[in-house]
Amino acid sequence: MAAAAAAAVGGQQPSQPELPAPGLALDKAATAAHLKAALSRPDNRAGAEELQALLERVLSAERPLAAAAGGEDAAAAGGGGGPGAAEEEALEWCKCLLAGGGGYDEFCAAVRAYDPAALCGLVWTANFVAYRCRTCGISPCMSLCAECFHQGDHTGHDFNMFRSQAGGACDCGDSNVMRESGFCKRHQIKSSSNIPCVPKDLLMMSEFVLPRFIFCLIQYLREGYNEPAADGPSEKDLNKVLQLLEPQISFLEDLTKMGGAMRSVLTQVLTNQQNYKDLTSGLGENACVKKSHEKYLIALKSSGLTYPEDKLVYGVQEPSAGTSSLAVQGFIGATGTLGQVDSSDEDDQDGSQGLGKRKRVKLSSGTKDQSIMDVLKHKSFLEELLFWTIKYEFPQKMVTFLLNMLPDQEYKVAFTKTFVQHYAFIMKTLKKSHESDTMSNRIVHISVQLFSNEELARQVTEECQLLDIMVTVLLYMMESCLIKSELQDEENSLHVVVNCGEALLKNNTYWPLVSDFINILSHQSVAKRFLEDHGLLVTWMNFVSFFQGMNLNKRELNEHVEFESQTYYAAFAAELEACAQPMWGLLSHCKVRETQEYTRNVVRYCLEALQDWFDAINFVDEPAPNQVTFHLPLHRYYAMFLSKAVKCQELDLDSVLPDQEMLMKLMIHPLQIQASLAEIHSNMWVRNGLQIKGQAMTYVQSHFCNSMIDPDIYLLQVCASRLDPDYFISSVFERFKVVDLLTMASQHQNTVLDAEHERSMLEGALTFLVILLSLRLHLGMSDDEILRAEMVAQLCMNDRTHSSLLDLIPENPNPKSGIIPGSYSFESVLSAVADFKAPVFEPGGSMQQGMYTPKAEVWDQEFDPVMVILRTVYRRDVQSAMDRYTAFLKQSGKFPGNPWPPYKKRTSLHPSYKGLMRLLHCKTLHIVLFTLLYKILMDHQNLSEHVLCMVLYLIELGLENSAEEESDEEASVGGPERCHDSWFPGSNLVSNMRHFINYVRVRVPETAPEVKRDSPASTSSDNLGSLQSSRRPKVLQRENSGTAQVFSLVAERRKKFQEIINRSSSEANQVVRPKTSSKWSAPGSAPQLTTAILEIKESILSLLIKLHHKLSGKQNSYYPPWLDDIEILIQPEIPKYSHGDGITAVERILLKAASQSRMNKRIIEEICRKVTPPVPPKKVTAAEKKTLDKEERRQKARERQQKLLAEFASRQKSFMETAMDVDSPENDIPMEITTAEPQVSEAVYDCVICGQSGPSSEDRPTGLVVLLQASSVLGQCRDNVEPKKLPISEEEQIYPWDTCAAVHDVRLSLLQRYFKDSSCLLAVSIGWEGGVYVQTCGHTLHIDCHKSYMESLRNDQVLQGFSVDKGEFTCPLCRQFANSVLPCYPGSNVENNPWQRPSNKSIQDLIKEVEELQGRPGAFPVSISSETNLSKEMESVMKDIKNTTQKKYRDYSKTPGSPDNDFLFMYSVARLGNRRFVKTKCIDLIYIPLMKEHMLVSARFLSTSMKSLSLLPC
């Protein structure tokens, strides 16, 4: 019947078709019955011609043309009722014809009765609520409608309910997508015997009518699409055409809902090539058909597609074995040849500076596979229908119709092939679309239904080269937004990267295509085909290289950026979706030994791509300064496939590793990222804005860490395990810019780092080393162990809800790989490590969510600060974890003090990575640890407790991973002797810990106290010697022994690099090319350094013992525990998890060192028996804090520093004098060190604003922060000591007759009655009721810093609680309220210490001294004739004091404004204060320097006599 229909429909049209009789035309039912009867006859030619004529009139091609044009002729063409009435009339005719004269509803019911489909296929759009069952699903994209889910048995399954974002379709009944056990009752597998046969005449009319109807729909689409020359058709025009077509598309959609029988008919119609050719060729005499065909060809051409001649059979040829049909060779050279520059020079989509001005780069067009990108020919209605669906940007109605047909398996295969055929055209249309988000969702709505079926994906991969098409389309999609890379060598770089400011990346336009690629890679058969195809791998690696080094950040050194680019959002999303997720999909299929070859292929081509990248950016050995990119997908591909090869495929790691030169290159950029993270957290990138911090946080965030920081750390671990450990350690400290800090001298000059950043960068370097050596995520941990560690880390930071914990646990982006949060493993681990706190109601009525909190045994045994540091996004989370850990220890009574991060013994390493532990046993690291311990013991600056914690952690880690048996007589290593050989004899930490270093050459600034001005030439660093060993036979073989030479991390690293390069080059018989970059040196002039020799005479063991004394605050505090119990060394009970502070850590390290070596044990005992030199205590007890004055403690610290510096200078002098007379290396005799006399220093003040310390001077005085307040409290003092009673009646009142204020007023009135006013004022003191009370927080600051501080407060727009205009402010350090600054008098700290206690002079002596000073006004040390900054500030503070008192006391004389008023006021301060001291022996004293010509009070009077002055009364 279908063949007859095809012949009838496709036959030659009569020149003048015979129309039905008018009666038949009016009576639709009768006409349909008549035609059905005619077609049922054996000879149905006449009936077919009659039906064809009717359809020609009803479904006329003239009407859609007029309707789409929207002109006035539309109504006339459609009849009197307008176009809407005409459409309804045509649909009514079609329904009657399909029903064959019967009722249409009855016809629909009859067809549904013969539905053989076992699939649901319900299609939904966005925001539809659906279900997904991971237990039943085979594909991760499986979904169920609510009806099928509830009718199926999913008890105990892992399912979730979700709101669809892009739309979908129900997979119930599809055994390729989900397991049969999850099918609902309606869609369980039906046997073919239960399905009744469809009657022959039921769908006969449908086979005749539907081809013409679909052809009419295509004509609508052709005529309605008008493509202007410049831009695409407006949305308004497209929507108008689609609105006109909505009834027809809805009619087709209703047909698909009739079931499998009708869908089978539609499939035959849509895929019949002969029907399509006859109706659409335009060869007949119908002008309308010809015109529509011409418009179709124009639409093809305007879309950049070629319509091949009919003689050419369209198809893609099969590739040769082992290669892809892609033009791979062109892409291989893409990184080496930029090609042409796009002349359009489009502006940056993001508006960021610089990036928008860079021109796009296009690859050579000759590399395109024309059959994939540009050729398209349609052979069926289905193919052209999909073409117009794409052209109209996937209208929802059309998408729903196409998806409703998918339950028909024949249609599904045909539609999938058609979809693949149009894949390149989809990409082109998507790029041009203004509604890319909507279009992307609808593309995925279709593709996810097609590519989730593994059998179908495999079929189209083999027959249609799906993988080739997808990779090619993705490659050329990204080609449109390529720009020249500025990484490393900006001028000569040949590498191209994607521009993250383009709309293509900002709007994630590539998402649907990448999603399809990820989907098909989830199928094992397809992924294996990809991994076997060398050409595809090469092409894919070149695609990944487009993202290598994108979104480059350049550190701003001068001014803050005006505009903060937000392109990093697009960059991180692009790497995760376009690079990382396909990588995880491929990795999920490389889990067994049989897949070793796949991993070798990926590693091979990844290394080739990396080498091409290094060559393209002209990289040698040094990264460009002040640059960082967080995007290294090629490095991460290589790292993750290495991890999978060792963990799952049992591959030998060395078999897939490159040579040493390549490893050195591979480590540089991931290491640069780690150093840049520390720089960003140190605020060195603050001028780049907040976006740089956003990048650093995103890099470690839970959704990205598995694909970014974890592979980077693992790759660095691999490199460290194979490279020379001294080279690696040197590289780390050089990248973190703290090389200059690692000196034993008290002073240094850092040419690349500001002093304020040194401490945080040193902490960052040490923390990185701890993470590198402790992390085991890819070095031996199982999936369950990783999940447990991740969960413990997140719970230790804060209590979490179940949903937040799900979100924070990292998971592989591909759901088929790794443990899925929410799975059985997740829930079992959660119940093992956490307790659930049930929701509780708050007082306000709201309810808190239920939270998970760590179990007590987790805090006690599993809390891992290293994992917390790795996974924390905000630094405050690390402190939060430590606070919670401290609270647990105190509550449980395990440790009462402030604990350090606990030491946790690590799981054993995989044998392939044992070389990583060599880092802990290299001389370079031992030198660094020794230097830092020494600096910490000597209280050098920039060394925090965190630094000490990390140093001890590394030492303990080294002891845990030392050689099982130590050789006491370690053979010397052959080869050239290096600088670090003069420090330590071997590389084993256990033996190096006991090695004593006597003297050290250092390079210091010329101003350093260690410098010996007349040092002989032999102390120059050019004469490198070696360090004397503890064994005499070795000493005799060395020259100039006993002095550790100047150790340059940078020089040693470069020397090692050059050796390896030359060796590998000579082995390859190649010309040695220059391997030293010229960009490594920091900009700026080199500091003037000189050589000095320091006496050390310490070992790591001795430093640890002295550190124990320092931390405990007690001398000889360490007592070896094995002296009381020797069994502790034989079987040391050292737990795998240890709580405690620094003292506990030192004791634990010493015990481990002694248990591993008898010599260490003996040396520790010898050190403890010696008299330990006094070490300044780090902390004092609470009782001592109360007795020791703050300034006394500060002064003692200064005295210790002066004494230490003098001792160093004396030791240097003594050593240099004796070193010239040393004839034999055996004369290594300790010298007598003379101690210089302590020097008397000036009073030194610390400015709390600028942080500088120094004495107060006349040019730059220092002041004390004070608060001045008016007070009348002393006016209530009485001479009568008898206490007054509280009045209880009106008669009993307290009259101030005998108070000081009343007596003063009576006395002054009496004097003024008999004497002149000026004379009276000299004889009395005012201010008993007008005094000034002075308070201070004790902090000092420079006067000029205070002025700048006040100016900043004036400019601050924030509402303040004080008046800046009145001089009010808060102390910059403690925020105490103040309103003045008292200048500190310059002078020696001994002679005139402003904080010392009252002198022992008698009152009579003080009075006499005051009288003498009054007679000598010139004794004031500051010249009145020359005003200095100090004198100006004295005047200013006197005004402040005067203005503070009550107004009536400012002008007390009868002549307002007279200098006598000031004279009276200041003399009253001194006279009344001294009088109060005589009477009450006050000891709360403050020094106030005063001067001005009209304030004739000498400084000596104020600084000596008023040391005992309380400024309560003025």
Side-chain angles (χ1 to χ4, degrees), residues 290 454 613 898 914 1035 1062 1245 1266:
K290 288 184 179 180
E454 181 173 1
W613 181 68
N898 294 320
K914 291 292 185 182
V1035 175
N1062 293 340
Y1245 305 96
V1266 295

Side-chain angles (χ1 to χ4, degrees), residues 65 109 230 255 325 376 456 513 823 870 895 1063 1105 1240 1382 1484:
L65 175 65
L255 292 179
S325 66
L376 191 64
L456 184 57
L513 308 185
S823 64
L870 180 70
F895 190 79
R1063 183 169 64 250
I1105 293 174
V1240 178
L1382 294 182
D1484 291 333

